[in-house]
Structure formats: structure tokens, C-alpha cells
Amino acid sequence: MEKKSIDWANLGFAYMETDKRYVSYYKDGAWDEGALISDPSVTMSECACVLQYAQTCFEGLKAYTTEDGHIVTFRPDMNGERMEASAARLEMPAFPKERFVEAVARVVKANAAYVPPYGSGATLYIRPFMYGKNAVIGVKPADEFEFRIFCTPVGPYFKGGIKPLTICVSDFDRAAPHGTGHIKAGLNYAMSLHAIVTAHKAGFDENMDLAPGTRTKVEETGGANFLFVTKDNTVVTPKSDSILPSITRRSLVHVAKEYLGLKVEEREVYFDEVKDFAECGLCGTAAVISPVGKIVDHGKEICLPSGMSEMGPVTKKLYETLTGIQMGRIQAPEGWIQVIE
Ligand code: PLP
Ligand code: COI
């Protein structure tokens, strides 16, 4: 298969239309058999539940070209499982995770020409999503739904690749206690837009979201979980019911313990402790692990000892091991890699 002529090394994190997408429709209590289609457009009623009441959730995962030339995806079953949980919280029917995994494979295979080559620094980002499609005007769930997957080749999420970021403590709450912070609902991202635009206008790369209510504990960012490293090399990651259970973070916890022999603490992290950490990173599918060099809390600066020019040493080891597993340079734990072709 011949690759598309794309300047892989200079891709940003942006949408590029690819050849095929998957679509399945839910009506009368059942999903249809689903199909790959070419049309990237969606037509729906002006009164569709997704447009009026934001009944939608999504996922994000990537396909990689390995060192030996295969195309693989990373833990798609985990995304399928999380999407089932998101759908349940939003009163949508589950798209079964087994069908999810198979549909991801079909989309990647059909767009193999867009999967960036090994070593290019780019990857294929896969975006499954689901929404309530029929018209509702009273506040209630839809009863017809569309599940779709498209994919698009991407470069780094943050401009500058793996250069350390400067982030600020947000004045806005991302999630409510007992709300929807733990699922991948579109509404969480709609309400984060003002916060991220505000942070960007003030010259920051991202927000640090604190726990709603108390605002004393660290939660996450708009698109990634936090990982901290203590001065004695313990990996610390915030535990909270209102953050998204990142698949990257859960994988890194395993990598830290089982591959690197590091101590890991998953626990509540108070903002007051942050000044004592040696390293900080943002982890997620899009972010991979993006190092943080500076955290600013209303003018007060916390400068991580790892500095503003490169990743800290533990973050770097985690990054290299995780990407090594994803690109086939390092043996993956059983079941983590789905070979597409
Ligand atoms: N937190 C939020 C709010 C996200 O949007 C994401 C991205 O998916 C993550 C964390 C990281 O999750 P994952 O590692 O599963 O991509
Ligand atoms: C991801 O990492 O897949 C995300 O969803 C983060 C962001 C692009 C929303």
C-alpha cells in the first residue's frame, strides 16, 4: 500500500479528512450491522438531542507503525470499555466493546495509507464518538443514536513537541462532585473551552484543574492526567472520582512498577505539595507524556527542578518505555497491542 504524500514530520494536532469512516445506527432498541462509508458529513434534525442537550461522548486512541512495519493500536479494548461507561452515564445504549475494537481495526485498515511511517514522529489519531440523533425538545434522552469512528494523522498535541510546558491554575471548575468528570462526555469539553482560551490568552499552554468545591487538590487538565515524580523517584498520580481514568496513566503506572521498578502512589495530591515535586508531566493519548516545567498560581511560580529545556529523567524513562512498547521496540504486556496488519 502506498502512503499518501503528507509532510509527516510537520503535522500538528489537526483534523485532516481521510478516506473512510465507520458508522452504525441505533434504532428500535438495536444497533445495525455498521459499515465503512466515504462521506465525512453528517445530516440531522435541527432538534437532534446532541444539538439541543449535548448528548454525546467520544474516545481517542492511536494507531502506530512499528519498527518492523506492522500497523498496531494500543489497548483499544480499554477505550471500548470506557465508552460503554460514558454511554451509560449519558443514558445512551452501549456500543459493545467487542464491536468497538473490530470497528477501530476496520477504520485503520481502510485508511492504512494515512498511518504515519515509523520514525516520522506522527501517529494516526482515531476518534470514536456517539450521539443522540433524533429530535427531542423536552429534556429527555434520544432513542436513536449514531456511533462513528474517523481517523486523522497527527503530530504533537502541544506545539514544540516535548518542550516543557508552562501551565496555570484554573479559576474554573472542570467537573462537579458527583458529576461527569470521570466520563468522556462532550459537555466536559464544551465547558472547558472558556478556561483554555483564557489560559492561552494569558500565555499559558494548559490549565491545572483543582478539585471542585475545596480547590485544594490537584485533579487533571482539559485533556490529560497528571504524573508527578518526587525527589526520591516515586511516581505520584492524583486519585479522584471526578477525573477521566486515563488509559495512558494506567499504562504508565504499570510501566513504572513492572518495567522500571519504581514506587508508585495513586492518591489525593494536595496543591500545597506540588512545590516539592521534582518532575511533572501530562499524560494522555494526545499528550503522550508532555513535561511541565512551570506551574503558575495567580502570579506565584512553581519552577520544577527538571527545568524548562528538557524532560526530567524519570519522565523521560517513562516516555521512552511507553512509546517503545507502542512502536514495537519493547515487549508489550499481554493484550496491550492489537495488530491491524
Ligand atoms: N483527561 C482528559 C480530560 C482527557 O480528555 C484525556 C484524553 O483522553 C485524558 C485525561 C487522557 O486519557 P487517555 O490516556 O485515555 O487518552
Ligand atoms: C485524547 O488524548 O485522546 C483526548 O481526547 C485529549 C484531547 C484531544 C481532547
Side-chain angles (χ1 to χ4, degrees):
M1 165 266 326
E2 198 167 321
K3 293 283 176 193
K4 298 283 171 182
S5 159
I6 292 171
D7 183 7
W8 308 106
N10 290 308
L11 283 174
F13 197 87
Y15 173 72
M16 176 190 295
E17 193 181 306
T18 55
D19 292 344
K20 298 285 178 191
R21 64 273 305 129
Y22 178 85
V23 56
S24 178
Y25 202 73
Y26 182 95
K27 194 175 175 182
D28 301 328
W31 291 104
D32 69 15
E33 64 183 12
L36 287 175
I37 60 164
S38 299
D39 187 358
S41 305
V42 175
T43 305
M44 67 180 94
S45 164
E46 62 191 352
C47 202
C49 194
V50 60
L51 297 181
Q52 301 307 322
Y53 303 125
Q55 194 184 24
T56 180
C57 61
F58 70 99
E59 272 303 323
L61 68 161
K62 282 174 173 173
Y64 310 84
T65 302
T66 59
E67 192 172 26
D68 62 359
H70 289 292
I71 294 175
V72 303
T73 57
F74 182 71
R75 309 189 78 181
D77 53 321
M78 303 281 279
N79 296 90
E81 214 164 88
R82 192 169 63 188
M83 194 153 181
E84 286 190 358
S86 297
R89 179 65 175 78
L90 295 171
E91 290 296 334
M92 297 199 270
F95 188 78
K97 68 175 178 199
E98 297 75 21
R99 285 195 62 188
F100 176 104
V101 169
E102 185 200 312
V104 164
R106 284 179 68 183
V107 172
V108 174
K109 211 175 165 99
N111 295 291
Y114 292 90
V115 182
Y118 177 76
S120 63
T123 50
L124 187 77
Y125 186 70
I126 305 159
R127 174 53 64 88
F129 60 112
M130 186 200 291
Y131 49 92
K133 201 171 178 191
N134 60 298
V136 292
I137 192 71
V139 179
K140 62 173 186 182
D143 47 30
E144 293 181 25
F145 298 87
E146 196 151 79
F147 170 83
R148 285 185 166 243
I149 307 178
F150 67 79
C151 61
T152 182
V154 294
Y157 188 63
F158 293 104
K159 287 196 298 282
I162 53 177
K163 208 177 131 291
L165 306 169
T166 301
I167 65 173
C168 63
V169 173
S170 179
D171 282 329
F172 305 97
D173 288 338
R174 175 188 167 269
H178 314 294
T180 54
H182 61 299
I183 59 162
K184 215 160 161 57
L187 62 93
N188 294 341
Y189 299 82
M191 58 170 286
S192 77
L193 297 176
H194 180 59
I196 193 64
V197 170
T198 305
H200 285 166
K201 276 189 190 151
F204 299 107
D205 298 302
E206 242 309 347
N207 280 299
M208 168 181 270
D209 291 306
L210 299 181
T214 61
R215 315 203 102 241
T216 53
K217 288 177 240 170
V218 177
E219 294 246 298
E220 60 173 333
T221 72
N225 283 178
F226 277 104
L227 274 186
F228 298 98
V229 182
T230 65
K231 287 179 180 143
D232 59 1
N233 288 352
T234 296
V235 175
V236 179
T237 182
K239 188 173 174 159
S240 160
D241 291 339
S242 46
I243 64 175
L244 191 76
S246 159
I247 295 160
T248 313
R249 185 249 303 163
R250 286 179 276 165
S251 304
L252 285 166
V253 164
H254 181 87
V255 162
K257 288 185 190 161
E258 306 300 328
Y259 284 64
L260 303 175
L262 297 169
K263 202 168 138 219
V264 178
E265 292 174 3
E266 295 179 75
R267 60 165 172 87
E268 292 180 328
V269 174
Y270 285 85
F271 182 69
D272 281 350
E273 315 173 47
V274 170
K275 62 180 183 338
D276 300 323
F277 289 125
E279 300 176 38
C280 173
L282 308 182
C283 63
T285 299
V288 195
I289 311 181
S290 301
V292 174
K294 195 190 284 185
I295 301 166
V296 182
D297 177 23
H298 302 92
K300 266 194 282 161
E301 292 192 351
I302 298 174
C303 297
L304 279 298
S306 49
M308 290 304 292
S309 57
E310 52 184 324
M311 274 193 187
V314 175
T315 309
K316 190 161 185 207
K317 267 195 224 158
L318 286 166
Y319 177 90
E320 281 172 355
T321 313
L322 179 72
T323 53
I325 289 170
Q326 290 165 336
M327 316 270 177
R329 293 186 297 268
I330 296 175
Q331 177 72 41
E334 178 77 30
W336 279 23
I337 299 295
Q338 179 201 31
V339 180
I340 308 288
E341 64 174 41

